Amino acid sequence: MGGNSPERPVSLKTGAAVSEALKSLGYEVTVINYESDLAQWIPELKASDLVFLALHGGDGESGQVQAFLEIL
């Protein structure tokens, strides 16, 4: 969630809502507040069984983040 576009505030709300919903269902959730450098999160991303992308605008909609995740 987050991102580096003007839609960041909406993305943070989306991410928080998704995170809370998953936690209420009993899932273990790691929140990543993305700003511009996904490389710093590689260990957490590699350890994850699933990534729910809640980015709006910018890198979240350009396919850049999705491509990075697929490489991992």
Side-chain angles (χ1 to χ4, degrees):
M1 65 184 197
N4 55 5
S5 81
E7 296 181 48
R8 179 177 172 76
V10 174
S11 177
L12 291 171
K13 285 184 178 183
T14 299
V18 169
S19 172
E20 289 307 312
L22 290 171
K23 286 177 185 177
S24 75
L25 294 171
Y27 291 97
E28 182 180 330
V29 176
T30 301
V31 173
I32 296 177
N33 187 342
Y34 170 74
E35 290 188 49
S36 63
D37 182 18
L38 268 181
Q40 67 180 328
W41 299 102
I42 289 175
E44 287 87 349
L45 291 166
K46 282 188 168 184
S48 299
D49 293 324
L50 176 73
V51 174
F52 187 101
L53 194 55
L55 289 174
H56 298 281
D59 294 342
E61 293 178 13
S62 70
Q64 195 170 356
V65 172
Q66 292 92 324
F68 180 83
L69 293 171
E70 289 205 18
I71 289 170
L72 290 180

